[in-house]
Amino acid sequence: MFKRLCIGILALLFATIGAKGQTLVPAAIKTTDSIIMDFMDQRFGLFIHWGPVTLRGTEIGWSRNHQVAQNDYDSLYKEFDPVLFNAEEWVKIAKAAGIKYLTITAKHHDGFCLWPSAFTDYTIRHSPYKKDIVGQLQKACKKYGIKFCIYYTILDWHHPDYPSHNDGKKPQDSSKGDMKRFVLYMKNQLKELITSYHPYMLWFDGNWEAPWTQEMAVDLYGYIKKLDPAVIINNRLGKTDHKLLTAETVGDYATPEQEIGRFNMTDPWESCITICKQWAWKPNDQMKSFTECIRTLSKTAGGNGNLLLNIGPMPDGRIEKRQAERLKEVGNWLRVNGAAIYGTRAGPFKPDSIFSSTRKGNKIFFHVYSNNNGSLNIPAMPGRKIVKAYFLARGNISFSENNNRIVLSWTGEIPDPACSIIVLEMNASVDAIPLVNQ
Ligand code: FHN
């Protein structure tokens, strides 16, 4: 008995030290597959980067010590008074956009907290606005059935215990810093956020600087899981490539940024992409067209990933009218075509310039991006026959199957030049069929 106990402890210990000697997350505490699958079913989230820096219209975190002098940047909170902030308005805009989850920058690299943290005075409570932004958003999300998520940066260029301040000096040359004390600060704040707001997911960021280590990441993952075993955690806690999931990853899904992630039927991933150029609000920033937004969402789903589309609200608390209108256009498209996005998996065809594909049950959804001369010629699927073919937005289309090819044809233009959905209802489930070589 004693011998078996020792072997078990050694196995557990070994399981947390990888082949490369990297500290790993013990499998026993990882987020369950069913929770991750639920996350991947959501497909479409809203990212919100916001803070006192919007008073300058420059990039959150990054413009501190650069476009905005450090003292000026760090004093902005004293004039930050978003009197037109209305959490329910924001959430209604998200709802109208077809958004299923919302991720707010509770604390970005500048260290300012949008909730009244008890562990620092650098919070919304000490601004003229005073009220809890994170709490109001969480309440509004609960009321309107949108999953509430929190972005939390690891690096904190404002905090004296964090040894790097994005001021051009190397950590070892800058202020003394005290990572042991800083990690305790992080844990105290994360306990506040988890126990007060119960986020569906935690979106970590800022894991790339030297003071933060893989060991700290694995320890923090375990600490969070003790507070809430079900909370989803992105892959930006550890020191691995955020585009990938590897054995050394600390986190539950990959997070390609400002690009559509690679087609991947095994590892969960979410692309975070800005609707404009800047993450935080910038006056007259260039904004993506409706077509760009829809094709980004379609190609993300066609790659088997989620899209976290970012907006930057203004300093007075409003979301720019043009950004709200763009989101509403996306929502209008989803009201007609959402069955091809929500709860689907990619395939059985890989995306190309003409179409992407998603599937659910006995339906295959072809996301077509041009009229393609009124037809689509694709390989037949072994063991499956078409029962019905139609555009989701309007009537049936013709189909023929012979010589292992399927030809779909239609008259007139496709219903939506940005992206039109063709549905093939098959004679059996297509969820598990292997990818078809085009
Ligand atoms: O530095 C941040 C950046 O400001 C922004 O928050 C993005 C969002 O994914 N993440 C970091 C850059 O990778």
Side-chain angles (χ1 to χ4, degrees):
M1 177 61 184
F2 178 69
K3 188 179 171 197
R4 282 173 57 195
L5 181 65
C6 293
I7 292 167
I9 290 168
L10 276 174
L12 187 62
L13 184 64
F14 182 78
T16 58
I17 306 290
K20 298 176 187 169
Q22 280 270 43
T23 309
L24 305 181
V25 175
I29 66 167
K30 285 187 175 179
T31 306
T32 63
D33 289 348
S34 61
I35 291 175
I36 298 292
M37 291 301 280
D38 177 75
F39 172 58
M40 297 312 290
D41 281 345
Q42 309 307 312
R43 280 290 182 252
F44 189 29
L46 186 65
F47 213 172
I48 302 177
H49 278 66
W50 198 43
V53 69
T54 50
L55 289 160
R56 291 286 179 275
T58 56
E59 188 58 287
I60 190 165
W62 294 96
S63 59
R64 179 178 181 270
N65 267 319
H66 295 276
Q67 296 89 330
V68 185
Q70 182 168 313
N71 290 340
D72 178 19
Y73 191 113
D74 293 353
S75 304
L76 291 172
Y77 78 103
K78 295 173 186 166
E79 50 184 293
F80 188 54
D81 191 10
V83 292
L84 298 180
F85 171 68
N86 180 320
E88 291 207 10
E89 273 314 299
W90 284 21
V91 172
K92 283 191 277 189
I93 287 170
K95 196 85 180 169
I99 292 284
K100 297 297 183 186
Y101 61 101
L102 180 149
T103 306
I104 180 70
T105 54
K107 187 180 87 167
H108 201 266
H109 309 336
D110 58 18
F112 186 75
C113 301
L114 290 179
W115 82 100
S117 173
F119 299 96
T120 173
D121 289 346
Y122 195 43
T123 82
I124 194 73
R125 183 177 52 192
H126 298 82
S127 74
Y129 181 74
K130 299 191 190 315
K131 289 173 284 185
D132 180 358
I133 297 287
V134 174
Q136 292 178 77
L137 274 174
Q138 185 263 345
K139 196 169 159 221
C141 282
K142 190 171 179 182
K143 180 176 177 180
Y144 289 95
I146 286 190
K147 296 179 185 296
F148 180 70
C149 309
I150 286 175
Y151 168 110
Y152 185 85
T153 182
I154 293 163
L155 66 81
D156 179 333
W157 290 325
H158 178 271
H159 197 284
D161 285 338
Y162 185 77
S164 168
H165 303 285
N166 195 34
D167 54 9
K169 294 179 195 151
K170 293 187 177 55
Q172 57 274 24
D173 304 338
S174 71
S175 70
K176 292 289 164 281
D178 180 330
M179 277 307 282
K180 193 166 181 306
R181 216 167 40 203
F182 182 73
V183 170
L184 180 60
Y185 172 69
M186 284 177 72
K187 286 183 173 179
N188 286 332
Q189 287 203 319
L190 285 164
K191 185 172 184 177
E192 281 182 323
L193 291 168
I194 292 167
T195 55
S196 309
Y197 309 113
H198 309 288
Y200 172 70
M201 174 258 282
L202 287 170
W203 212 99
F204 285 97
D205 206 4
N207 55 337
W208 52 81
E209 291 190 333
W212 182 253
T213 69
Q214 178 80 358
E215 289 67 28
M216 291 171 184
V218 172
D219 171 64
L220 192 63
Y221 187 96
Y223 173 78
I224 292 166
K225 283 299 178 180
K226 283 198 189 89
L227 290 169
D228 181 354
V231 68
I232 299 162
I233 299 171
N234 76 346
N235 73 338
R236 297 196 183 191
L237 259 184
K239 303 298 281 187
T240 54
D241 181 342
H242 61 243
K243 289 185 190 178
L244 306 172
L245 285 190
T246 67
E248 289 73 32
T249 294
V250 182
D252 305 327
Y253 67 91
T255 54
E257 177 172 320
Q258 296 292 34
E259 62 178 5
I260 293 165
R262 272 185 304 201
F263 183 88
N264 188 330
M265 292 303 293
T266 50
D267 296 334
W269 60 270
E270 169 203 70
S271 275
C272 55
I273 297 176
T274 52
I275 201 168
C276 289
K277 289 289 187 191
Q278 198 169 270
W279 292 98
W281 180 70
K282 175 183 178 184
N284 308 314
D285 197 359
Q286 185 186 332
M287 184 171 74
K288 286 179 175 63
S289 67
F290 164 73
T291 297
E292 280 176 293
C293 290
I294 287 299
R295 289 189 183 173
T296 300
L297 177 61
S298 161
K299 292 178 178 184
T300 304
N304 209 42
N306 286 10
L307 172 63
L308 187 63
L309 185 62
N310 180 81
I311 61 166
M314 296 190 284
D316 64 7
R318 289 177 300 151
I319 292 171
E320 266 191 307
K321 196 164 181 310
R322 60 172 185 149
Q323 290 189 32
E325 280 167 357
R326 183 69 77 246
L327 288 173
K328 188 162 173 40
E329 290 166 356
V330 173
N332 292 339
W333 184 90
L334 279 165
R335 246 183 299 291
V336 174
N337 302 290
I341 301 288
Y342 303 123
T344 63
R345 291 291 169 267
F349 299 89
K350 283 193 174 182
D352 62 24
S353 58
I354 297 169
F355 72 90
S356 299
S357 68
T358 54
R359 52 181 148 169
K360 185 173 182 179
N362 72 325
K363 291 179 181 166
I364 300 174
F365 303 97
F366 289 86
H367 308 217
V368 293
Y369 306 121
S370 74
N371 202 47
N372 206 44
N373 301 319
S375 74
L376 206 52
N377 185 323
I378 51 177
M381 280 147 281
R384 296 292 183 281
K385 287 290 176 199
I386 301 174
V387 172
K388 212 173 154 188
Y390 51 93
F391 280 113
L392 255 183
R394 68 160 195 247
N396 289 350
I397 61 176
S398 316
F399 62 89
S400 64
E401 299 182 77
N402 45 50
N403 304 327
N404 291 327
R405 299 296 297 182
I406 292 173
V407 179
L408 305 173
S409 51
W410 58 90
T411 56
E413 289 300 314
I414 54 174
D416 190 321
C419 175
S420 291
I421 303 294
I422 291 173
V423 186
L424 291 194
E425 290 189 15
M426 308 303 284
N427 62 341
S429 169
V430 289
D431 282 342
I433 63 174
L435 288 179
V436 180
N437 290 321
Q438 278 135 278

